[in-house]
Every structure is written in structure tokens, then in C-alpha cells.
Amino acid sequence: MKRIGLFGGTFDPPHNGHIHIAQAFADELELESVIFIPAGEPYHKQVVTCTTAAQRLAMVEQMIAVDERFSVSDCDVVRKGPTYTIDTVSLFHQVFAQAQLWWLLGMDSLLQLPNWHRYEALLQSVNLAIAQRGEQRLAALPATLQQWLPEALAKNLITPKGNDGGRAVLLQASFLPVSSTDIRKQWPMGNHDYVPASVAEYIDRERIYQA
């Protein structure tokens, strides 16, 4: 069965850490492709972006050239109003009706998952690939997920029947210690080491993060 990876995020800007974890995501789960999904209005995260959604989409379009398995979707950018992950997953189920879908998220997002819109339905409709972040540990998992996670990890060992969800896997690779926030702060000082050259060229051409 074909496996498709979904990687949502603000990507303000997209950087080498995103590339690293997306490639690990694809390698460890043998994914046919990883689709980056820049956020439109991420309701569950209090984010004040420094760029427009169109600029963030354009930066991801520059970044995906590094790996032929990467692509980008503008579905959350063009959708009006708050964009809920459950709705995004439902859309991709329509597009890839016969594929098994995997959603990549960091440990920090997993810990906040019970605050997401219709999170219980989300857990049944998609599979989660969880990347470790720093010192965050599964011991801090909310009580509502403590029973779910062992069952989801065990389910991943069972042969899939159709495009079922409800599985989970802990990625062996972890996020690199690269922060979009730090990149934005350091950009005016000329520290452009953590983004692909094509993204850096776009940022400078559009005069983003100049102050």
C-alpha cells in the first residue's frame, strides 16, 4: 500500500531542520512522498507571522527542490478562515483514497494534541509520526493520550487493512536544534547558514526579515 506523508507547519521560514526531519520521515516510513502544507490561519497556535501566507508558500516551493520526494500543497493557504488539521486530512483522504496517510508532528505538538479541534477523530483518521524535540519526554503525555499511544504504537505492527488510521511511530531521528524564530532574529546580521540557498535568495529578493 502506498504511504503518503503530510508535514504541516508555519514555515516562517522553512529551514534545514525541516529538510532533515522530512527526509528522516520519508526514509524511516518508506513514504512515496512528503507533502509540505504551509499553514493559513493555525487556530491552535498563537502565531504572529512575519510574512504573508503566499510568501511562506513560495519559500517552501523553493525548498522542496532538494528532494524529489518532496512536494507542497496550498490547501491551507487558500482555504478561508481557521484551518483545522482534521479538515486537511479529510481532504487528502479524498485525493489519495487508497493510500495510508501519515502526519508528522513534533513532541511539543503531541503534548498539545488534546487542544486540537476534534482531535479524537483526527487520531482515528490519520497515522502519526512523532519526532522527538530536546528534553520533552513521553512521560509528560496528557492523561487522555496515555492509553492511546501504546495501542497506536502496537497497531503499527499490524498489517494495514485499507487506508486505516490510528497508528503511531516514534521516529529515530530528532529535530535539529534549528529555530525559525532564531533565523528571523539573526537574518539582518547575515547569518543565513540554516536555510537552503534558494530560500535565502528569495528572502533577500523579497526583503523579508530585514529588521
Side-chain angles (χ1 to χ4, degrees):
M1 171 177 292
K2 181 164 63 175
R3 290 181 168 189
I4 303 293
L6 306 176
F7 188 179
T10 307
F11 303 117
D12 190 18
H15 53 65
N16 294 339
H18 294 130
I19 294 172
H20 165 78
I21 201 63
Q23 289 178 329
F25 184 30
D27 291 342
E28 292 186 35
L29 291 175
E30 299 181 349
L31 301 175
E32 179 173 287
S33 64
V34 175
I35 304 173
F36 288 80
I37 310 170
E41 295 180 37
Y43 83 101
H44 58 275
K45 190 175 183 181
Q46 297 301 314
V47 173
V48 178
T49 59
C50 299
T51 52
T52 66
Q55 287 174 320
R56 291 184 282 108
L57 176 65
M59 286 190 284
V60 174
E61 288 174 338
Q62 294 294 324
M63 183 184 70
I64 61 174
V66 302
D67 195 310
E68 63 182 6
R69 296 171 296 181
F70 292 173
S71 61
V72 61
S73 170
D74 66 355
C75 64
D76 281 1
V77 170
V78 300
R79 209 156 62 226
K80 302 298 183 183
T83 51
Y84 301 120
T85 303
I86 182 66
D87 296 333
T88 302
V89 169
S90 296
L91 175 64
F92 279 96
H93 270 304
Q94 295 175 35
V95 176
F96 300 105
Q98 302 303 316
Q100 189 182 73
L101 300 183
W102 287 82
W103 187 274
L104 174 64
L105 80 171
M107 183 64 71
D108 55 345
S109 295
L110 180 67
L111 298 180
Q112 295 298 317
L113 197 62
N115 297 323
W116 291 23
H117 179 66
R118 295 183 58 206
Y119 85 94
E120 291 176 320
L122 177 66
L123 291 176
Q124 295 304 313
S125 63
V126 74
N127 305 286
L128 298 186
I130 303 158
Q132 320 278 336
R133 278 189 189 269
E135 296 301 315
Q136 292 169 326
R137 294 290 182 265
L138 292 174
L141 202 64
T144 52
L145 296 179
Q146 288 178 3
Q147 180 177 351
W148 167 83
L149 184 59
E151 294 175 353
L153 292 171
K155 186 178 179 183
N156 188 47
L157 303 176
I158 303 172
T159 303
K161 296 179 180 179
N163 58 353
D164 57 342
R167 301 166 185 268
V169 66
L170 298 175
L171 294 182
Q172 296 300 307
S174 62
F175 278 95
L176 293 179
V178 181
S179 162
S180 292
T181 299
D182 290 342
I183 291 172
R184 294 195 300 268
K185 290 178 179 178
Q186 296 170 12
W187 199 267
M189 295 175 280
N191 187 354
H192 304 168
D193 296 339
Y194 298 111
V195 301
S198 58
V199 175
E201 291 169 4
Y202 177 88
I203 291 171
D204 286 340
R205 185 168 63 249
E206 294 293 311
R207 299 191 60 78
I208 305 170
Y209 315 132
Q210 299 301 314

